[in-house]
Amino acid sequence: MSTKSRLMTVPATAPVNTPATSPVTVVLVDDHLTVRAGTRALLEPEGFVVVGEAAAGPEAIDLVRTRRPDLLVLDMVLASGPVQSAIPELRAAAPRTGILVHSMYEDAALVRGALAAGASGYLSKSTSVPELLLAARTVAAGGRYVQPPLGADTAHAPVSPRALSPREGQVLALLADGHTNREVAAHLTLSVRTVESLRAALRNRLGLVTRADLVAHARRSGLLDGPPGSHGSPGARG
């Protein structure tokens, strides 16, 4: 199979959107053309724009460096070999790009290795379409997402504050302080749907369902100041 990358150019006539409504730019890296085509077909109708494709690690690094997408969807093993060792270089090439590993392998050691190397998320190719979209939005927005069954396999200790990305910490603090999803979105210049995705990721990964859960975790994480009871309504679900 050819490893030649494909660059996709967004038309110059496309309207300039505000940060809250701008499409999410994506680079797809997989050595199977049909997998890339299928992923593109699922993402693009949902507000994502694929700006490049590659079938090998070196091409992926070049694409990410030049295109600096919001999201990189990356297969864990390519025809050129495993890509875990390339993740740090991908991260260095575009520090703001969220890296979502999309792999056929559901091995806990691979998940831990990918996350330790710098990936922001890990998802099995057997996942549902809604979960793929949730993971893509979460990682592109600066959050972290590990498919719940895989996350359970890798969770050998409680999640520490360090496990939160900076964006997740901002969202958690504002939600815990009593702000609605819409208010958080306006404050951080995000779309409401992005905030909902980040909140869903916090709920799935950390079990933060009620406002009381948010406040308690935010306080343990050092994200809130002030005495107990001063942040939001304990029973509210926002």
Side-chain angles (χ1 to χ4, degrees), residues 179-227:
H179 294 281
T180 65
N181 290 347
R182 188 170 298 278
E183 289 169 343
V184 173
H187 185 82
L188 298 177
T189 321
L190 299 171
S191 70
V192 174
R193 186 161 65 173
T194 294
V195 173
E196 291 170 348
S197 295
L198 288 166
R199 183 169 183 170
L202 290 170
R203 180 179 63 245
N204 293 338
R205 185 154 54 88
L206 305 178
L208 306 180
V209 179
T210 68
R211 184 76 66 188
D213 295 333
L214 293 168
V215 171
H217 191 87
R219 183 171 289 111
R220 288 196 302 271
S221 303
L223 297 173
L224 292 181
D225 297 319

Side-chain angles (χ1 to χ4, degrees), residues 38-132:
T39 305
R40 171 195 287 272
L42 293 172
L43 293 178
E44 290 199 324
E46 300 295 331
F48 297 84
V49 175
V50 176
V51 296
E53 298 182 12
E59 294 171 284
I61 294 169
D62 289 341
L63 269 178
V64 168
R65 182 179 292 115
T66 57
R67 289 307 178 100
R68 297 189 179 274
D70 300 311
L71 176 67
L72 171 65
V73 180
L74 178 69
D75 192 6
M76 192 65 174
V77 180
L78 303 174
S80 56
V83 299
Q84 180 175 318
S85 60
I87 292 177
E89 192 171 353
L90 288 163
R91 171 65 64 203
R96 294 181 180 274
T97 295
I99 300 175
L100 174 63
V101 174
H102 192 209
S103 174
M104 63 179 288
Y105 298 104
E106 301 182 5
D107 182 81
L110 284 177
V111 178
R112 288 194 295 271
L115 298 178
S120 305
Y122 196 106
L123 200 63
S124 165
K125 287 183 178 177
S126 64
T127 191
S128 66
V129 173
E131 186 161 32
L132 169 63

